[in-house]
Amino acid sequence: MEASALGPARRGRRRTRAAGSLLSRAAILLFISAFLVRVPSSVKVYVMLHQKSPHVLCVTQRLRNAELIDPSFQWHGPKGKIVSVENRTAQITSTGSLVFQNFEESMSGIYTCFLEYKPTVEEIVKRLQLKYAIYAYREPHYYYQFTARYHAAPCNSIYNISFEKKLIQILSKLLLDLSCEISLLKSECHHVKMQRAGLQNELFFTFSVSSLDTEKGPKPCTDHNCEPSKRLFKAKNLIERFFNQQVEILGRRAEQLPEIYYIEGTLQMVWINRCFPGYGMNVQQHPKCPECCVICSPGSYNPRDGIHCLQCNSSLVYGAKTCL
């Protein structure tokens, strides 16, 4: 009888000790978690290269219009703590916002803001940590690519080569005031069989027209007409007019046609988007800047004339142009 009476009592004590043990573990975990620093996910911010950045806030949307007692802001960037008095390129406003005056490639990276404040005078100090991934971006390096065909001298003739150089010189001079650059991409001579005229020699030209960076010139251009797209559009019109005038001049000639002349209707044009080396487009990774050429993140790179950042595990910097 005694044994059976003691059994349930012992079992009850065991349950009590087990429950107490579980409660004590929960209390310890709760105590530890109160002091753990939770690293928040970063918010992506895009800043155009060589431009002033928007204000990067050190408050949440909920706290933006709230009253904060004795707020204290501290920013840390890729190179350590940011002190606005000592840093001319990155400044911290009186409300804790981070502002870049002239954003450079090397400024891209992770920035963290530490905010301390009191909701009311009586309450204890609260701490908030906000993390931002700030990327430099550029406009796409878009350009026009033209193709045109000329009736030519025999394909081994030196006159064809001199004509190529002269044509590029004329087109370059034509676009001089627009700060646009002409580049000969390909020039080939072929024998072409015509329906009723037999074989003839033709030069196949492929050249590009791109805008130069006006901001780096001795007199930076700030007028809206200096935008690359506007200058390129004007350049396109001038080139089309130039080739149309060649057709008109040939049509008025009474004497025999020259040995090398433009073949009417062969001028073709396509619009091409490219990113500068070290930059790329990625709609999935940067949905808020889908048409921007964003600087390549560590782990990727973009060589010359690419449009996407390619994977490269050995790349540890932003804006890598090669995979080392």
Side-chain angles (χ1 to χ4, degrees), residues 124-135:
I124 62 172
V125 173
K126 290 194 173 185
R127 294 174 177 82
L128 180 66
Q129 180 180 342
L130 297 174
K131 184 175 285 189
Y132 296 90
I134 302 183
Y135 296 88

Side-chain angles (χ1 to χ4, degrees), residues 17 19 43 48 77 154 185 212 265 315:
R17 283 198 298 271
V43 177
M48 182 176 280
L185 303 179
L212 296 173
S315 171

Side-chain angles (χ1 to χ4, degrees), residues 20-76:
S21 177
L22 288 173
L23 287 172
S24 62
R25 288 180 190 172
I28 292 170
L29 288 172
L30 184 64
F31 178 76
I32 293 173
S33 64
F35 290 92
L36 285 176
V37 178
R38 292 182 176 86
V39 180
S41 59
S42 58
V43 177
K44 293 179 180 179
V45 177
Y46 304 95
V47 184
M48 182 176 280
L49 193 66
H50 306 310
Q51 299 296 319
K52 183 177 180 179
S53 75
H55 285 224
V56 185
L57 304 180
C58 191
V59 290
T60 62
Q61 193 64 34
R62 183 178 64 84
L63 293 176
R64 190 172 182 180
N65 298 319
E67 185 178 76
L68 307 180
I69 306 298
D70 297 329
S72 173
F73 309 95
Q74 191 177 105
W75 280 93
H76 289 254

Side-chain angles (χ1 to χ4, degrees), residues 144-193:
Y144 286 110
Q145 182 172 297
F146 291 88
T147 56
R149 291 162 62 177
Y150 276 77
H151 185 280
C155 285
N156 58 355
S157 173
I158 193 173
Y159 293 111
N160 291 336
I161 298 174
S162 60
F163 177 78
E164 293 169 11
K165 295 179 180 179
K166 187 65 176 178
L167 178 63
I168 296 301
Q169 289 175 358
I170 293 172
L171 292 174
S172 298
K173 188 175 180 181
L174 189 67
L175 308 182
L176 187 63
D177 293 338
L178 295 175
S179 295
C180 287
E181 182 180 40
I182 295 279
S183 298
L184 180 63
L185 303 179
K186 188 167 59 174
S187 175
E188 297 175 341
C189 183
H190 294 279
H191 303 295
V192 181
K193 180 183 180 301

Side-chain angles (χ1 to χ4, degrees), residues 104 180 260:
E104 301 290 342
C180 287
I260 301 176

